[in-house]
């Protein structure tokens, strides 16, 4: 395990079997095709209605409704209906379902519960109707949920024989319907049942690979699937999951409460993996090193194939010679524009038979991808993007490109092609040998855990592979912790330009938290932080955006109040952190190696607007752009990015500028940063009608003296290192450094300092050293409060981990001074001249890692402990 987890797990048995309301809809997710569903159309509306694996919010399939002729009036005349439903008029019910459209428009549809003689009812009547529902056609699943009591809305409904009908047809578009749930509503007072349906909080349900979903979920009789436990777990309940791989989509039926969260967690010591992948078997040699097998699902642009731990490429030219997704291996020869590319080197095959082009222009801000519409010898034609993406990345100006997606391009190891017509996967193996059984896996589910519109749910210690975790809509107060997500997103992104809304964790809603997690590998973003007051904390996030779009390991967009705290973030195709939201705090992060594919970007990037945000106490380091453009910045505030406070950051080892400010850089404070081994400390790109305004730059420390702004004061430029030991990341100031007390105070800015004035630079002499990056790995900066001598013998602390008290092993003959300091350098406990020192109360501290500094004379002993 890469995550060093220390858990206190209380095991309970399910003493009382709780019977909860079950879904009245059989085949609710269309896993059995259209069985038990009645599809059709009438009165001028026409549609092709089938089951598809192209999109699925639950399981592997959904109902696909392709409208071929719209209804001629306001009535929805295309339908998918579930019949023979019986409802009790004394009970309250919940109806929910997931629906998706990718039309790009706002679509309308309706839902009705009704009876009629032609569907087996005694008479016509309506008991529930929502006939003006609006769906945003953005290609994202939307969840609709309604609570109602069956009663007569029109006519004389036969409550013993109702039909649930989804109606479409006002526009020529395609809809996907999935995860239809109709059940008795649960509540704290009971759900109005007959005595067999009761509410008992605090139950523990068990899940095991040796279980059965017909069991009761007790420790002795566990469920087989997490999804089964998710159907019945309610506020205050815990779901304990045993060792194994769970190839399923999990959408909990219920939310928890703020003081009674629903917890899904791995059993103590168990490796639990939720996988979106399915192993493949029954391989047959096609020819040479190419083998084939049948695959009955197709995610189209999002198809992902893994050969063991190796990501496979969709058949392409030129080939990916080192099989590294961050190595572009693209073609550069040829000429073209936004509609065609010509080169004698292009293989003479039918690229228009499902093929696409990936293009990275000379500016390298972003890639774009387009479908190839026609092809001839040495030439492909397509429609490139309009707007700034096309203007800045026009093939007429030069760049790099890859052609992909046709069977004839399958000619290199670890390449694949999926034939939709025959439902066949073709794979070029690395050694020409037939794949072993289950050695190759293909993505089947894009989502592992769906917490959309769910609240107060905890996912703890559950790992994910080939699928993502979503918290969207009205999701509130959810927590994802102690989990690892690998390859959580993958796509070719054909037809899209800069922004691709795919990520391994979709963090929206409000007040949600991702902490102590590891997110690794994805075509786009690691975590997309949107919504209100959501937090990513103490996570390791790396190897994202090999598609080279405007994505990032951490992408902060479309929200307010987000926090990105104490993370280790590295290896990004473009920016490592990309933030354009408001009221954001970026702090105590260790951030390095951005610009692996793109250029003119940086470790931190923002653009275009008023942000009212802060970037402080981060370690930004070691970034070089690919090629010879030399544009990998530390903090990049692009094109009129305004209202930023940037302070106490260490920025080092960059080929470009520590701070890049473009256009109208207004209302920005840059102070107390340490800058070393860079091209320039600061630079700006100002058009004729642009200017810097209220840009204050002070108390910074660097070896290069280019500072720009409207107020530039007390910045120190030195010719030799003022730091204790740069090679060991020890950026404390040397004893006697002229940077000590060199700075100034500024009205309206709170500063903590030890001497007569603030120091220049990011680490104040005499103050605790803050440490960037995750707390569950080795700390990045040496831990010491000053330049006093550090004892070579670590301080012995026990118990460790601890929850209430600490004891220290020490020489009691010398008076001591004690400090406990958190990872952000804040003193949380202090005791002076204690002799002897015994128990130290720590019950008031938050969970996390802390340093203990024990000073005996001129010697400081340093230790570290975990507070549970």
């Amino acid at each position: 395990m890469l995550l060093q987890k220390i858990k206190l797990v209380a095991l309970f048995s399910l003493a009382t079997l709780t019977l909860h309301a079950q879904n009245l809809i059989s085949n609710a997710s269309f896993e059995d095709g259209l069985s038990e569903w009645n599809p059709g159309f009438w009165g001028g509306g026409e549609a092709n209605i089938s089951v598809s694996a192209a999109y699925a919010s639950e399981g592997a399939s959904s109902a696909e409704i392709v409208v071929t002729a719209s209804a001629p009036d306001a009535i929805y005349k295309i339908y998918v209906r579930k019949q023979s439903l019986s409802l009790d008029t004394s009970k309250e019910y919940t109806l929910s379902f997931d629906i998706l459209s990718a039309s790009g428009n706002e679509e309308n549809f309706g839902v009705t519960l009704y009876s009629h003689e032609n569907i087996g009812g005694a008479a016509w009547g309506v008991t529930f109707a929502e006939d003006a529902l609006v769906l945003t056609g953005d290609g994202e699943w939307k969840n609709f949920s309604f609570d109602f009591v069956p009663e007569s809305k029109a006519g004389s409904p036969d409550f013993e024989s109702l039909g649930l009908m989804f109606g479409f047809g006002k526009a020529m578009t395609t809809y996907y319907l999935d995860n239809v749930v109709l059940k008795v509503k649960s509540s704290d007072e009971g759900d109005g049942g007959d005595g067999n349906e009761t509410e008992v909080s605090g139950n523990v349900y068990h899940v095991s690979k040796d279980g059965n979903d017909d069991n009761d979920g007790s420790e002795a009789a566990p469920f087989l699937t997490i999804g089964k436990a998710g159907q019945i777990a309610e506020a205050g309940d815990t779901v304990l999951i045993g060792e194994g791989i769970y190839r399923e989509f999990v959408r909990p039926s219920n939310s928890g409460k703020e003081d009674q969260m629903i917890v899904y967690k791995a059993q103590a010591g168990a490796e639990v993996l939720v996988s979106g992948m399915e192993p493949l078997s029954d391989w047959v040699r096609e020819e040479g090193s190419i083998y084939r097998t049948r695959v009955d699902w197709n995610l189209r642009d999002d198809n992902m194939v893994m050969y063991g731990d190796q990501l496979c490429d969709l058949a392409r030219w030129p080939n990916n010679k080192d099989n590294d997704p961050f190595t572009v291996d693209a073609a550069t020869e040829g000429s073209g524009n936004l509609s065609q590319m010509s080169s004698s080197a292009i293989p003479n095959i039918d690229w228009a038979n499902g093929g696409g082009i990936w293009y990275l222009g000379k500016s390298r801000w972003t890639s774009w991808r387009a479908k190839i519409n026609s092809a001839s010898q040495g030439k492909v034609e397509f429609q490139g993007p309009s707007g700034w993406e096309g203007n800045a990345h026009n093939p007429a100006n030069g760049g790099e490109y890859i052609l992909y997606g046709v069977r004839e391009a399958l000619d290199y190891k670890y390449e694949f092609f999926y034939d939709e017509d025959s439902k066949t996967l073709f794979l070029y193996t690395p050694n020409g040998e037939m794949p072993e059984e289950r050695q190759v896996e293909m993505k089947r589910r894009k989502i592992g855990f769906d917490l959309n519109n769910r609240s107060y749910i905890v996912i703890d210690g559950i790992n994910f592979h080939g699928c993502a975790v979503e918290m969207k809509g009205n999701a509130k107060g959810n927590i994802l912790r102690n989990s690892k997500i690998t390859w959580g997103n993958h796509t070719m992104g054909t037809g899209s330009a800069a922004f691709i809304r795919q990520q391994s964790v979709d963090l929206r809603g409000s007040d949600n938290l991702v902490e102590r997690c590891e997110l690794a590998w994805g075509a786009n973003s690691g975590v997309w932080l949107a919504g209100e007051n959501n937090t990513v904390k103490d996570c390791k996030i790396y190897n994202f955006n090999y598609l080279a779009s405007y994505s990032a390991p951490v992408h902060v967009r479309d929200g307010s109040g987000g926090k990105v705290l104490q993370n280790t973030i590295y290896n990004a195709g473009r920016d490592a952190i990309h933030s354009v939201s408001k009221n954001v705090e970026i702090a105590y992060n260790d951030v390095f190696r951005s610009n692996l594919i793109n250029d003119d970007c940086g470790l931190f990037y923002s653009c275009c607007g008023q942000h009212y945000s802060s970037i402080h106490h981060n370690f930004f380091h070691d970034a070089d752009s690919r090629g010879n453009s030399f544009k990998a910045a530390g903090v990049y505030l692009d094109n009129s990015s305004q209202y930023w406070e940037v302070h106490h950051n260490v920025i080092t080892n960059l080929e470009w500028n520590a701070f890049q400010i473009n256009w109208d850089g207004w209302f920005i404070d840059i102070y107390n940063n340490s800058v070393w081994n860079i091209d320039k400390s600061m630079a700006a790109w100002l058009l004729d009608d642009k200017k810097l305004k209220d840009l204050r730059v002070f108390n910074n420390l660097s070896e290069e003296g280019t500072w720009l702004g409207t107020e530039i004061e007390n910045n120190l430029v030195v010719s030799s290192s003022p730091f204790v030991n740069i090679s060991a990341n020890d950026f404390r100031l040397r004893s006697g450094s002229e940077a000590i007390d060199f700075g100034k105070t500024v009205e309206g800015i709170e500063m903590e300092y030890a001497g007569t004035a603030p120091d220049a630079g990011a680490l104040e002499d005499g103050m605790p050293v803050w440490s960037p990056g995750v707390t569950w790995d080795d700390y990045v900066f040496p831990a010491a409060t000053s330049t006093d001598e550090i004892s070579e013998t670590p301080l012995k602390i026990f118990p460790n981990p601890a929850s209430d008290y600490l004891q220290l092993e020490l020489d009691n003959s010398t008076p001591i001074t004690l400090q406990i300091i958190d990872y952000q350098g804040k003193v949380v406990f202090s005791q002076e001249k204690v002799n002897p020192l015994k128990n130290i109360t720590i019950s008031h501290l938050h969970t996390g890692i802390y340093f203990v500094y024990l000073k005996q004379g001129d010697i400081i002993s340093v230790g570290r402990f975990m507070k549970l």
Side-chain angles (χ1 to χ4, degrees):
M1 292 290 290
L2 287 172
L3 293 185
Q4 302 172 5
K5 301 180 214 166
I6 299 174
K7 300 181 182 178
L8 295 179
V9 180
L11 299 178
F12 303 91
S13 63
L14 185 58
T16 303
L17 176 62
T18 304
L19 299 178
H20 298 269
Q22 299 297 312
N23 189 5
L24 301 179
I25 306 295
S26 56
N27 192 22
S29 296
F30 303 94
E31 299 304 291
D32 297 326
L34 290 172
S35 173
E36 301 184 60
W37 288 90
N38 184 278
F41 48 84
W42 63 284
E46 295 182 7
N48 294 322
I49 303 173
S50 61
V51 170
S52 171
Y55 294 93
S57 72
E58 167 75 29
S61 60
S62 63
E64 182 183 60
I65 303 96
V66 182
V67 180
T68 57
S70 59
D73 54 33
I75 301 175
Y76 299 104
K77 295 184 176 180
I78 295 167
Y79 61 86
V80 177
R81 185 173 62 231
K82 185 76 174 181
Q83 298 178 188
S84 303
L85 300 173
S86 175
L87 300 188
D88 187 337
T89 57
S90 68
K91 297 180 181 180
E92 185 176 8
Y93 289 82
T94 296
L95 169 65
S96 68
F97 54 89
D98 297 336
I99 189 167
L100 176 149
S101 167
S103 69
N105 303 314
E106 286 193 349
E107 306 294 354
N108 299 102
F109 68 101
V111 184
T112 308
L113 257 170
Y114 74 109
S115 65
H116 198 284
E117 293 178 352
N118 62 15
I119 62 170
W124 174 83
V126 176
T127 184
F128 172 87
E130 291 286 346
D131 56 6
L133 295 176
V134 177
L135 173 65
T136 302
D138 58 3
E140 298 282 341
W141 282 103
K142 303 295 189 301
N143 176 260
F144 289 79
S145 182
F146 306 93
D147 296 333
F148 68 96
V149 175
E151 58 185 358
S152 178
K153 297 291 186 182
S156 302
D158 179 355
F159 296 105
E160 297 298 322
S161 185
L162 295 167
L164 173 62
M165 185 174 73
F166 295 88
F168 310 94
K170 289 186 178 179
M172 302 278 287
T173 191
T174 299
Y175 301 88
Y176 295 88
L177 178 68
D178 205 354
N179 193 30
V180 182
V181 177
L182 177 63
K183 66 178 184 177
V184 176
K185 182 183 178 183
S186 298
S187 67
D188 291 339
E189 294 75 34
D191 52 22
D194 56 9
N196 290 324
E197 297 165 320
T198 58
E199 287 284 314
V200 180
S201 64
N203 295 315
V204 175
Y205 298 100
H206 295 260
V207 178
S208 168
K209 295 303 293 183
D210 297 323
N212 190 306
D213 281 350
D214 291 331
N215 289 341
D216 61 18
S218 64
E219 186 172 12
F223 296 131
L224 174 63
T225 65
I226 305 169
K228 174 64 176 181
Q231 291 177 10
I232 62 177
E234 297 188 344
D237 291 347
T238 298
V239 177
L240 288 178
I241 306 166
E243 183 101 11
I245 300 176
Y246 295 82
R247 302 183 190 276
E248 57 178 299
F249 166 90
V250 182
R251 176 171 171 76
S253 295
N254 303 301
S255 293
K257 299 178 181 178
E258 189 169 8
D259 59 348
Q260 289 183 297
M261 301 186 79
I262 302 175
V263 179
Y264 295 81
K265 68 186 305 182
Q267 290 181 353
E271 293 275 359
V272 175
L273 180 70
V274 174
S275 178
M277 311 290 288
E278 290 290 342
L280 304 180
S281 58
D282 300 326
W283 292 95
V284 176
R285 184 190 293 271
E286 174 73 6
E287 59 177 336
S289 296
I290 300 175
Y291 293 81
R292 73 175 190 270
T293 189
R294 182 176 175 85
V295 176
D296 291 330
W297 65 90
N298 180 17
L299 300 182
R300 294 184 170 85
D301 226 30
D302 298 336
N303 279 334
M304 181 173 77
V305 176
M306 299 289 295
Y307 191 104
D309 294 331
Q310 176 65 51
L311 175 71
C312 296
D313 287 302
L314 180 58
R316 53 172 277 180
W317 172 85
N319 295 319
N320 185 0
K321 291 299 183 67
D322 61 0
N323 299 113
D324 181 350
F326 286 101
T327 303
V328 174
D329 288 330
T332 56
E333 59 274 278
S335 60
N337 51 46
L338 286 172
S339 62
Q340 63 88 22
M341 173 61 67
S342 301
S343 171
S344 60
I346 294 176
N348 187 27
I349 57 181
D350 186 8
W351 292 102
N353 186 23
I357 179 171
W358 176 94
Y359 196 85
L360 185 66
K362 185 177 181 180
S363 296
R364 288 187 183 157
W365 301 344
T366 184
S367 70
W368 51 261
R369 296 134 311 272
K371 176 184 176 182
I372 295 175
N373 297 318
S374 64
S376 56
Q377 185 169 357
K379 182 178 181 180
V380 292
E381 297 183 353
F382 47 83
Q383 182 56 59
S386 58
W388 65 267
E389 296 100 332
N391 291 334
H393 303 88
N394 192 319
N397 300 321
E400 305 164 88
Y401 65 100
I402 296 168
L403 307 182
Y404 61 87
V406 299
R407 168 69 175 81
E408 293 83 354
L410 184 65
D411 62 354
Y412 196 71
K413 63 181 181 179
Y414 298 119
E415 286 188 349
F416 77 92
F417 174 77
Y418 182 78
D419 185 275
E420 294 188 19
D421 295 333
S422 65
K423 297 185 178 180
T424 301
L425 178 73
F426 297 89
L427 177 68
Y428 198 112
T429 63
N431 51 19
E433 296 179 359
M434 181 178 294
E436 298 176 7
E437 293 297 298
R438 309 177 74 84
Q439 183 179 20
V440 178
E441 294 189 328
M442 184 168 172
K443 187 174 188 139
R444 186 167 188 170
R445 293 163 294 275
K446 293 194 284 188
I447 307 301
F449 243 92
D450 179 354
L451 300 185
N452 300 332
N453 299 306
R454 298 292 183 262
S455 299
Y456 302 113
I457 292 175
V458 178
I459 302 172
D460 190 349
I462 301 172
N463 299 329
F464 297 85
H465 178 66
C467 56
V469 175
E470 287 191 346
M471 306 179 199
K472 300 191 300 185
N474 294 322
K476 181 176 182 179
N478 298 299
I479 300 174
L480 173 67
R481 64 160 63 108
N482 296 326
S483 299
K484 182 175 181 178
I485 303 177
T486 53
W487 300 103
N489 71 84
H490 176 79
T491 187
M492 289 305 299
T494 306
S496 57
F499 301 103
I500 299 177
R501 198 175 288 274
Q502 266 202 22
Q503 48 281 317
S504 295
V505 177
D506 202 342
L507 191 59
R508 298 168 193 263
S510 61
D511 303 301
N512 299 295
L513 170 66
V514 178
E515 65 174 350
R516 293 197 301 276
C517 290
E518 184 170 356
L519 311 181
W521 293 103
N524 296 293
S525 294
V527 57
W528 188 304
L529 180 63
E532 302 296 319
N533 304 319
N534 294 310
T535 300
V536 179
K537 180 180 180 182
D538 206 7
C539 295
K540 187 176 286 187
I541 308 173
Y542 58 97
N543 292 346
F544 284 98
N545 193 22
Y546 50 79
L547 196 60
S549 68
Y550 265 66
S551 298
V554 177
H555 194 141
V556 188
R557 180 178 290 270
D558 302 331
S560 176
K563 295 183 182 297
V564 181
L565 307 174
Q566 206 80 60
N567 303 286
T568 299
I569 303 166
Y570 61 97
N571 287 0
R574 192 185 141 85
D575 316 299
I577 303 175
H578 184 118
S579 178
V580 293
S581 293
K582 292 185 177 181
N583 303 310
V584 174
E585 182 181 13
I586 311 290
Y588 301 101
N589 301 289
D590 180 18
V591 187
F592 52 102
R593 288 205 297 271
S594 62
N595 295 71
L596 296 183
I597 301 176
N598 300 94
D599 206 356
D600 198 5
C601 43
L603 292 162
F604 176 89
Y605 178 88
S606 184
C607 184
C608 317
Q610 298 178 346
H611 299 288
Y612 305 97
S613 298
S614 63
I615 308 165
H616 65 90
H617 294 90
N618 299 284
F619 186 24
F620 295 119
H621 61 104
D622 296 284
D624 300 298
S625 62
R626 187 172 62 91
N628 57 4
S629 293
F630 303 105
K631 286 190 175 182
V635 175
Y636 197 150
L637 304 182
D638 200 2
N639 293 4
S640 303
S641 185
Q642 301 173 357
Y643 291 95
W644 283 98
E645 189 175 23
V646 186
H647 63 94
H648 291 92
N649 301 285
V650 175
I651 305 176
T652 183
N653 295 339
L654 309 178
E655 68 171 14
W656 200 29
N657 308 319
F659 303 98
Q660 179 70 29
I661 314 291
N662 289 347
W663 293 12
D664 286 332
W666 296 356
F667 307 109
I668 300 172
D669 287 337
I670 298 177
Y671 63 92
N672 281 102
N673 299 283
S674 294
V675 175
W676 203 259
N677 192 25
I678 43 79
D679 181 27
K680 288 184 179 180
S681 296
M682 193 170 180
W685 178 43
L686 305 175
L687 302 178
D688 291 341
D689 60 340
K690 306 297 182 183
K691 64 179 180 179
L692 303 177
K693 177 180 176 181
D694 288 315
L695 174 58
R696 302 188 297 183
V697 180
F698 57 94
N699 295 1
N700 297 291
L701 172 62
S702 72
E703 62 177 335
E704 197 284 326
T706 303
W707 295 106
L708 306 174
T710 54
E711 297 179 35
I712 306 173
E713 298 180 315
N714 294 71
N715 300 291
L716 179 62
V717 179
V718 295
S719 58
S720 60
S721 170
F723 308 116
V724 172
N725 188 345
I726 292 178
S727 62
N729 291 337
D730 194 339
F731 293 95
R732 293 173 298 150
L733 297 173
R734 293 180 183 273
S735 179
S737 169
E738 61 181 308
I740 296 174
D741 297 342
F742 184 87
K744 59 173 245 180
T745 59
V746 174
E747 184 177 355
I749 297 179
E750 294 185 6
M751 296 184 184
E752 294 183 353
Y753 56 94
T756 58
D759 299 342
L763 275 69
E764 178 78 14
D765 181 59
M767 296 286 290
V769 175
W770 51 273
S771 187
V774 295
T775 66
W776 42 269
D777 207 345
D778 289 338
Y779 47 81
V780 178
F781 290 174
T785 55
S786 70
T787 53
D788 290 329
E789 182 179 355
I790 307 298
S791 172
E792 295 182 359
T793 303
L795 181 63
K796 294 183 179 179
I797 303 172
F798 56 93
N800 190 3
S803 56
D804 297 315
Y805 297 96
L806 286 181
Q807 289 186 333
L808 310 178
E809 184 178 304
L810 49 92
D811 179 1
N812 288 332
S813 62
T814 306
I816 62 174
T817 299
L818 171 77
Q819 286 185 329
I820 297 178
I821 298 173
D822 68 13
Y823 243 72
Q824 298 174 1
K826 298 177 183 177
V827 178
V828 295
F829 179 89
S830 181
Q831 198 166 352
E832 296 187 1
K833 298 182 179 179
V834 179
N835 187 15
L837 182 70
K838 295 186 179 179
N839 284 344
I840 304 167
T841 300
I842 61 168
S843 58
H844 63 290
L845 299 179
H846 296 295
T847 300
I849 301 294
Y850 293 86
F851 300 108
V852 176
Y853 298 92
L854 195 65
K855 187 170 184 179
Q856 296 176 283
D858 294 330
I859 303 298
I860 292 179
S861 298
V862 179
R864 187 168 70 156
F865 72 92
M866 172 177 278
K867 165 66 169 63
L868 295 176

